Amino acid sequence: MPQNDPGTRVASLNDWYRESAAHTVLQHALTGPDAGHLALVSSFGAESVVLLHMVSVLRRDTPVIFLDTELLFAETLVYQHELTEWLGLADVRIIRADRTEQAAQDPDKSLHIADADACCALRKARPLERALRGFDGWITGRKRYQGGARAMAKFFEVEEATGRIKVNPLAHWTPDDVRTYMEENRLPRHPLVARGYPSIGCTPCTSPVKSGEDTRAGRWRDMEKSECGIHVAEGKIIRQGVNA
């Protein structure tokens, strides 16, 4: 990986690719020298198939990190397995919480009731941090239209705490862009989308969304929380968004 300052490198990349399509940004991230060794972090959720499909076309041996919190919907687990096979993804890594930590902090899987942030840290943030060791950065499906802290997302960002590069190829996409791509490529949809779940996380903290609500309104409903903690600013879980 190039040794120059990550912030300088990211600013240069954003300037160079500011008018580029998502496919071009992703292709550079996977094949160019500037971004380094990357993994795609995917929830295999409502819109995840878009980036997963792009990766399968560009470089299907790209490491894909899937965080199995062991609180996911059964439909998500089946979808993850079927989509991996259908796309021919060659390196999907299923990551779970550390067993010792889980036994000490959440033996009965009720931590989310007392402290949702602690639950996310145990089952998502810390496992992801361990999984990303050895990588220079990671690829996400964050989009500006999702609101909150995502509203200012750029193609390339730097995580202040780690210095890793975060790549957001779909940052400028609209819901119509996502829908069109899925339809044109005949991509299979997550089964829960048709049941009113436009954003899908863990079963205790995800609810259906009513017509007219924000697409992420069903995540941590009625809580001062809109992110699980894998997207952080200055080491703190982001508090901006529909439920903040």
Side-chain angles (χ1 to χ4, degrees), residues 6 56 69 91 93 99 109 121 124 131 133 156 210:
S56 75
T69 65
D91 188 6
R93 307 179 185 188
R99 292 305 184 198
K109 297 185 178 180
K124 286 189 173 184
R133 290 171 185 167
F156 298 90
K210 299 176 182 178

Side-chain angles (χ1 to χ4, degrees), residues 212-226:
E213 285 189 311
D214 185 279
T215 57
R216 289 179 62 82
R219 304 292 297 276
W220 304 285
R221 188 181 290 279
D222 300 324
M223 299 173 62
E224 293 185 358
K225 181 177 174 66
S226 64

Side-chain angles (χ1 to χ4, degrees), residues 27-95:
Q27 183 176 37
H28 175 85
L30 292 175
T31 62
D34 301 279
H37 183 39
L38 303 178
L40 168 62
V41 176
S42 178
S43 66
F44 284 80
E47 299 175 347
S48 299
V49 68
V50 171
L51 271 182
L52 290 166
H53 178 261
M54 288 185 180
V55 162
S56 75
V57 172
L58 289 169
R59 189 170 172 178
R60 66 179 55 190
D61 63 344
T62 298
V64 177
I65 295 174
F66 171 59
L67 295 169
D68 179 6
T69 65
E70 300 181 279
L71 293 173
L72 298 175
F73 290 90
E75 290 87 345
T76 297
L77 299 176
V78 172
Y79 186 61
Q80 181 271 318
H81 178 74
E82 293 179 346
L83 206 53
T84 297
E85 295 293 322
W86 189 72
L87 293 173
L89 300 171
D91 188 6
V92 175
R93 307 179 185 188
I94 300 176
I95 307 300

Side-chain angles (χ1 to χ4, degrees), residues 130-201:
R130 289 191 289 267
L132 286 174
R133 290 171 185 167
F135 290 98
D136 299 310
W138 49 300
I139 303 162
T140 89
R142 296 166 75 229
K143 308 169 194 70
R144 290 186 172 190
Y145 76 77
Q146 292 170 326
R150 303 179 182 215
M152 298 302 292
K154 298 179 180 179
F155 285 140
F156 298 90
E157 300 173 334
V158 177
E159 289 186 321
E160 293 183 15
T162 66
R164 291 193 192 98
I165 287 180
K166 186 184 292 184
V167 186
N168 310 303
L170 308 182
H172 302 289
W173 275 31
T174 66
D176 283 341
D177 292 328
V178 174
R179 203 159 32 242
T180 298
Y181 186 92
M182 293 179 69
E183 290 172 354
E184 289 181 347
N185 291 282
R186 300 182 179 180
L187 302 180
R189 297 176 183 271
H190 193 298
L192 289 179
V193 172
R195 290 159 53 185
Y197 293 82
S199 181
I200 303 162

